[in-house]
Amino acid sequence: MKFNTKVIHGGQSHEPSTGAVNVPVFFTSTFAQKSPGIHSGYEYSRAANPTRQALEDSLASIENGAKGLAFSSGLAATDCVLKLLNVGDEIIACNDLYGGTYRMFTKMFEKYQLKFHFADFTNIKNVEEKINEKTKLIWIETPTNPLMKLADIKAVADLAKGKNILIAVDNTFATPYIQKPLDLGADIVMHSATKYLGGHSDVIAGALITKNLELGEQLHFIQFAGGGILSPMDSYLVLRGIKTLALRMQKHSENGFEIAKYLENHPKVDRVFYPGLKSHPQHELAQKQMRESGGMVSFTFKSGKKEDAVKFLEQIKIFTLAESLGGVESLANHPAMMTHASIPAEKRLEAGITDDLVRLSVGIEDVEDLIEGLEKGFV
Ligand code: P1T
């Protein structure tokens, strides 16, 4: 099955007892048993629920994985991966990451004696030099949030080969329409399904997809024992979102490219961060690893002033100033004061997240209206 077919049919066969074409929302916490231990395959919805199961099968199908798991948030999914590790294990992660992921790593898991090394993955040598016999996980975000840096997934996976190191890729920005980390050698794909998979800014959800079933079962055990599952209604919303993922990502990418070009030619704009632009330092890797460039665009001001970024965000039209991304509607964000405020200022600056940086989540509206709305921010 090809991708456009998978988003409609992957894991979404007709409901067997009624033939319902659309997967129903199974609002039930528990399932009747004929005799103790003799049941339909479902016992209790924390372990499995048919609506969530359909979503999890769909996730596995679109990411070319063996097992999918749906969580109550993207961070709950990340938390589950880290619980595979043991005291003393070391992790190498990108130094440009969603602020909440950085906060979880440093504020929650360092106290359990996991050691995190942060590196700039744009140069593979930075990753290689941090690998040692205690390294158990490499955490990749590509493109990164918010600077749109890329990591060469295949090159990182090749580095880790034969060393008993798991490779996890946060594929939130790209989605499987654009990039397939498991095909490139990763072991785990993570999503904030809140974003493009859901696609309509109406749900908080997370996902993990594994290349092999055994790892998927280990993660399922941690999820079941810890409890961070996605509800039936939210599973339904994400499943519904996935059906239009291919169409939406095409339009997000088309609009993202137009907005990136508009900004690159704007007299008040300094740098534009978008992998689809020839000026992106890793444009070549983008063309190799990604099918399109998606809808996320970041930029800075020639003045370098935070006040210009703030004024811009107050004045723009059509775009809404809000955290999050990946919905059909366009959003704008100030990473330093909003999504990445939990990263200490010096670490933010070290990674390049300056106070004049603005991040746009370009939606699927008419691009002429979007450009007109952005222009209002520059006056
Ligand atoms: O919000 P949640 O569903 O828990 O997902 C966390 C998360 C993980 N990974 C990436 C790349 C993300 O962007 C996010 C959430 N990000 C935002 C809310 C944001 O505006 O960047």
Side-chain angles (χ1 to χ4, degrees):
M1 243 193 262
K2 291 171 81 173
F3 193 80
N4 291 11
T5 313
K6 281 183 172 182
V7 291
I8 312 283
H9 295 286
Q12 304 183 53
S13 44
H14 307 158
E15 198 278 316
S17 64
T18 61
V21 167
N22 196 34
V23 174
V25 189
F26 283 87
F27 280 126
T28 187
S29 56
T30 192
F31 300 83
Q33 307 198 8
K34 273 203 174 68
S35 174
I38 310 288
H39 51 73
S40 63
Y42 292 98
E43 294 165 86
Y44 185 58
S45 281
R46 175 156 38 74
N49 171 283
T51 315
R52 193 168 89 241
Q53 188 65 57
L55 169 62
E56 291 176 336
D57 291 348
S58 165
L59 290 165
S61 163
I62 62 176
E63 284 284 7
N64 295 343
K67 189 163 176 70
L69 295 166
F71 292 81
S72 53
S73 69
L75 287 179
T78 303
D79 176 269
C80 186
V81 174
L82 289 174
K83 286 173 180 163
L84 287 168
L85 304 178
N86 295 306
V87 168
D89 287 350
E90 298 194 5
I91 301 97
I92 305 170
C94 301
N95 67 349
D96 180 32
L97 276 180
Y98 168 56
T101 308
Y102 179 85
R103 178 178 54 210
M104 176 189 290
F105 288 178
T106 54
K107 298 253 164 71
M108 281 179 60
F109 282 101
E110 272 182 357
K111 74 176 179 194
Y112 296 113
Q113 286 156 42
L114 295 181
K115 187 166 177 193
F116 294 87
H117 300 275
F118 295 96
D120 180 351
F121 278 47
T122 59
N123 183 349
I124 191 82
K125 288 210 171 72
N126 296 333
V127 185
E128 191 171 11
E129 71 187 23
K130 291 198 158 56
I131 293 180
N132 63 44
E133 69 285 354
K134 291 185 184 161
T135 309
K136 289 291 174 287
L137 174 68
I138 299 181
W139 187 270
I140 302 173
E141 199 177 280
T142 184
T144 60
N145 179 0
L147 288 169
M148 308 300 293
K149 290 184 191 171
L150 307 185
D152 186 332
I153 298 170
K154 185 173 179 310
V156 176
D158 285 348
L159 268 187
K161 224 171 240 162
K163 297 195 173 94
N164 194 26
I165 301 173
L166 290 173
I167 307 289
V169 178
D170 182 335
N171 204 25
T172 299
F173 270 32
T175 81
Y177 175 75
I178 287 179
Q179 166 176 284
K180 299 253 186 0
L182 299 181
D183 291 354
L184 296 168
D187 302 289
I188 304 171
V189 165
M190 175 266 161
H191 279 277
S192 170
T194 313
K195 311 298 176 339
Y196 289 107
L197 297 187
H200 297 76
S201 305
D202 52 8
V203 63
I204 298 282
L208 295 178
I209 303 98
T210 59
K211 185 152 64 187
N212 78 56
L213 198 56
E214 195 191 335
L215 180 59
E217 296 298 350
Q218 280 174 38
L219 288 163
H220 179 245
F221 173 78
I222 296 169
Q223 182 193 40
F224 166 67
I229 50 137
L230 193 63
S231 77
M233 187 65 211
D234 289 345
S235 297
Y236 171 82
L237 288 173
V238 177
L239 200 53
R240 184 177 172 121
I242 286 174
K243 291 179 192 182
T244 55
L245 181 65
L247 289 176
R248 285 186 289 106
M249 291 317 291
Q250 282 162 26
K251 187 67 179 160
H252 281 296
S253 299
E254 233 176 84
N255 283 358
F257 187 46
E258 289 303 316
I259 298 283
K261 283 192 296 188
Y262 152 75
L263 290 169
E264 195 167 44
N265 290 316
H266 200 286
K268 293 199 172 161
V269 170
D270 186 23
R271 294 187 63 193
V272 181
F273 304 89
Y274 187 73
L277 290 177
K278 285 207 176 75
S279 58
H280 190 285
Q282 296 168 290
H283 181 62
E284 215 174 292
L285 173 60
Q287 292 196 307
K288 193 176 82 178
Q289 184 166 279
M290 301 167 73
R291 171 168 166 180
E292 302 271 356
S293 291
M296 298 303 296
V297 184
S298 298
F299 70 96
T300 56
F301 287 77
K302 276 230 170 87
S303 68
K305 285 188 181 155
K306 176 178 171 179
E307 302 84 79
D308 282 346
V310 171
K311 195 176 95 180
F312 174 87
L313 291 165
E314 287 170 353
Q315 291 182 179
I316 48 174
K317 300 284 178 250
I318 313 278
F319 282 79
T320 302
L321 175 60
E323 301 211 6
S324 203
L325 58 108
V328 290
E329 64 293 287
S330 292
L331 301 180
N333 161 55
H334 187 270
M337 285 193 285
M338 296 166 66
T339 48
H340 293 69
S342 58
I343 302 176
E346 75 278 5
K347 296 267 181 233
R348 271 201 315 263
L349 289 173
E350 215 176 281
I353 306 169
T354 52
D355 286 351
D356 65 331
L357 181 79
V358 165
R359 188 192 74 187
L360 302 176
S361 170
V362 180
I364 62 170
E365 302 94 332
D366 283 311
V367 76
E368 297 79 7
D369 291 332
L370 294 178
I371 289 176
E372 212 179 298
L374 292 177
E375 196 52 40
K376 299 253 187 322
F378 289 113
V379 291

